[in-house]
Amino acid sequence: MKNYNKPALSINDQINLLQSRGLLIKDINYAKSVLEKLNYYNFSGYTYIFEDKSNKRTHNFSNKTTFEEVFEVFKYDIQIRQLLFSCISYVEIYMRNIIARSFLDVYNNDPFANYNLVNYYNVNSEIKKEVLRSKEIFINHYKKEYLDYPKIPIWISVEIMSLGTLSKFYSSSDKKLQTLITNNMNLYHYKYLKSWLFAITEMRNRSVHHSRILCRQLLNPPIIPKNVILNSNYNWNLLLNSYLFNFIVTLEYIVKVSNIYTELTLPIINNLYDMIKHISENKILKNKPLISDIGIPNNWNGGLFFI
């Protein structure tokens, strides 16, 4: 461990550093205009995609990488993040409702049952923290009107939980509740949904916090089911779990099987596939390691994965 002592770099210093590492900058003024609007630390996250990874990391670029190529990936990443967040928002709204309704069915309409169950002990602590710091009008109203505060009924709890807490709530639930939720969603098995929720949470958080999506594997990858309800022109089992393409396919599967605002979500997913297709055909990015790092299957021709 040591104290951080790196000096702040001017725009000119940033450009000199990039050039010293082998990045080709054809138009210095263009590069300056980009870096004046984009934090260098953010930009450098995209340069990693193009670095030579054959040996120990040196920050040196490979294959005559240009500034324009790095910025092109940044622009794609922004658009993909926006699309993912839009689609995930609909899934998130749906999950809050389906979890609350299924919970009431399992626990005989007792909206406070989770507070009496040991398996929710840690999740209840997170819910309490979120209730206490919430500024929502309905929480302030509940605080003024009811003695139970900060305990709140499940249909209110699901609305103030973060998506991460909601995912933990599901994973902490008894098998009977998880099974009912997945049955109500027309999904095959409760264990799949557990991994999908954590993957969705991770991708949602990356999208919100402006973290890179492209060419970055998921820490909590969605498990690919052995059998699927929908017909497909492709083999889902051949995809790599932790890659972006599999995550998009998983989203498509969930919204189709569970009928989650499909008139809104499927066009977004179509746009995501179009964006991936554009990347694969982009002449500026030709011969770059993007296709394999996104996890695009060789026989994919674009469009929705499932029929």
Side-chain angles (χ1 to χ4, degrees), residues 136-149:
E136 293 284 357
I137 294 175
F138 57 84
I139 293 294
N140 289 332
H141 172 77
Y142 193 92
K143 180 179 180 180
K144 293 176 182 178
E145 295 291 330
Y146 301 103
L147 297 174
D148 304 294
Y149 181 89

Side-chain angles (χ1 to χ4, degrees), residues 5-195:
N5 59 3
K6 292 183 178 180
L9 299 178
S10 67
I11 300 296
N12 286 332
D13 289 337
Q14 292 170 10
I15 288 175
N16 290 335
L17 178 60
L18 291 169
Q19 289 179 317
S20 72
R21 292 174 174 173
L23 184 67
L24 302 179
I25 303 179
K26 301 174 183 177
D27 187 336
I28 297 295
N29 289 330
Y30 173 74
K32 285 182 178 180
S33 69
V34 169
L35 293 174
E36 284 171 355
K37 304 179 187 71
L38 176 61
N39 189 320
Y40 176 81
Y41 199 75
N42 190 318
F43 180 82
S44 65
Y46 296 91
T47 64
Y48 177 74
I49 297 171
F50 300 93
E51 288 180 10
D52 182 0
K53 302 179 182 67
S54 57
N55 297 304
K56 183 178 179 182
R57 187 179 183 189
T58 61
H59 296 288
N60 292 327
F61 291 92
S62 61
N63 199 22
K64 297 181 179 180
T65 302
T66 68
F67 185 93
E68 288 77 13
E69 288 170 339
V70 178
F71 190 55
E72 191 79 359
V73 174
F74 165 80
K75 290 184 287 186
Y76 276 125
D77 200 58
I78 292 287
Q79 296 175 76
I80 288 173
R81 287 207 308 257
Q82 292 171 339
L83 290 169
L84 282 173
F85 181 73
S86 296
C87 187
I88 289 171
S89 295
Y90 290 113
V91 176
E92 182 178 348
I93 291 168
Y94 172 89
M95 289 306 307
R96 294 181 189 279
N97 177 57
I98 202 75
I99 287 176
R101 289 198 295 106
S102 301
F103 181 91
L104 292 169
D105 288 340
V106 168
Y107 294 110
N108 300 315
N109 284 321
D110 180 359
F112 298 96
N114 55 295
Y115 293 104
N116 300 317
L117 297 170
V118 176
N119 50 305
Y120 288 119
Y121 179 80
N122 291 330
V123 177
N124 287 334
S125 296
E126 293 190 27
I127 294 173
K128 181 179 179 180
K129 290 177 183 178
E130 292 179 8
V131 169
L132 292 174
R133 65 170 171 255
S134 176
K135 303 299 181 183
E136 293 284 357
I137 294 175
F138 57 84
I139 293 294
N140 289 332
H141 172 77
Y142 193 92
K143 180 179 180 180
K144 293 176 182 178
E145 295 291 330
Y146 301 103
L147 297 174
D148 304 294
Y149 181 89
K151 293 182 179 180
I152 56 176
I154 186 64
W155 53 77
I156 299 180
S157 292
V158 294
E159 292 302 328
I160 59 96
M161 289 184 207
S162 67
L163 185 54
T165 302
L166 190 73
S167 301
K168 291 176 185 176
F169 188 93
Y170 173 84
S171 65
S172 300
S173 298
D174 289 334
K175 181 179 177 180
K176 60 183 178 181
L177 176 54
Q178 292 185 359
T179 300
L180 180 60
I181 291 169
T182 51
N183 287 346
N184 287 338
M185 295 179 68
N186 299 315
L187 298 173
Y188 268 109
H189 201 279
Y190 64 91
K191 290 184 179 179
Y192 294 139
L193 183 58
K194 177 180 177 180
S195 80

Side-chain angles (χ1 to χ4, degrees), residues 192 195-196 199 217-225 236-248 250 294-295:
Y192 294 139
S195 80
W196 295 346
Q217 296 187 37
L218 277 81
L219 299 175
N220 301 290
I223 298 173
I224 298 174
W236 194 0
N237 291 287
L238 295 180
L239 299 185
L240 299 173
N241 289 44
S242 58
Y243 285 75
L244 172 63
F245 194 85
N246 176 51
F247 179 81
I248 298 172
T250 302
I294 294 172

